[in-house]
Amino acid sequence: MPEFRNVVVTVNEEPREAEIEPRLLLVHFLREVCGLTGTHFGCDTTSCGCCTVLFDGVPVKSCTVLGVQADGHEIITVEGLGSPSELSPVQEGFHEEHGLQCGFCTPGMMMTATAFLDENPNPTEEEIRWALSGNNCRCTGYVNIVKAVKWAAKKMATSGVSARGAAPIR
């Protein structure tokens, strides 16, 4: 009989409590327990980055983090960016610059770009490419993805909104 552990994780600003197996990966916790399927499960080896989420504000590949490791921490998924009526600058940039093709890598790209722009709101193209280098686009749509991040940086500069879509914390 499998052992279960109780975890309380704040996901997209909502507390989530569940009994989970200690070996359950964070990506599966988010998708199967929380019902948040925006986080994709790709390679299971940290190679592709499509499962990237923010773990206490830091981008992590959730296919190599256990759900029990998130106990007591804050997780932001792509569903936690912006709102249905108001996209975050990163989401809006991907829309405006066609920063997706099949869309499988898009959630991970957006989460990595969000964390990156929070740290560096005025990046060069080279810095953007370096920041996204841990995320793979199997369609090779990198040109438009980089344009989308540039677009988001410009939007943030002109609107004063953070990469996540919230007013910046002062």
Side-chain angles (χ1 to χ4, degrees):
M1 183 156 194
E3 173 189 340
F4 288 88
R5 289 208 24 214
N6 185 62
V7 296
V8 179
V9 182
T10 302
V11 181
N12 299 334
E13 301 181 357
E14 283 186 34
R16 306 283 184 127
E17 185 170 1
E19 296 283 327
I20 61 172
E21 283 190 60
R23 66 181 181 171
L24 182 70
L25 295 174
L26 180 58
V27 64
H28 296 305
F29 173 77
L30 295 168
R31 292 180 58 84
E32 297 160 16
V33 176
C34 298
L36 298 169
T37 56
T39 302
H40 291 168
F41 181 61
C43 66
D44 194 20
T45 61
T46 73
S47 297
C48 74
C50 71
C51 65
T52 303
V53 298
L54 302 185
F55 187 109
D56 291 337
V58 176
V60 298
K61 294 175 181 174
S62 61
C63 72
T64 57
V65 176
L66 297 171
V68 294
Q69 291 176 295
D71 187 26
H73 293 274
E74 180 183 11
I75 303 297
I76 303 293
T77 69
V78 72
E79 290 95 339
L81 298 180
S83 69
S85 62
E86 189 172 335
L87 298 176
S88 75
V90 171
Q91 291 170 313
E92 199 173 347
F94 273 71
H95 173 76
E96 291 295 326
E97 297 294 340
H98 308 285
L100 56 100
Q101 289 183 26
C102 80
F104 195 78
C105 70
T106 304
M109 291 282 186
M110 286 184 174
M111 299 313 294
T112 299
T114 296
F116 171 66
L117 290 174
D118 279 342
E119 290 289 320
N120 184 357
N122 189 21
T124 65
E125 181 171 327
E126 183 179 350
E127 290 169 330
I128 294 169
R129 289 183 180 279
W130 178 251
L132 297 176
S133 64
N135 293 72
N136 294 330
C137 173
R138 294 176 182 142
C139 304
T140 68
Y142 297 105
V143 170
N144 286 0
I145 290 169
V146 171
K147 284 181 182 176
V149 177
K150 283 182 181 175
W151 193 99
K154 186 175 180 181
K155 171 80 180 232
M156 290 167 55
T158 58
S159 68
V161 174
S162 76
R164 283 189 51 199
I169 298 170
R170 303 211 186 258

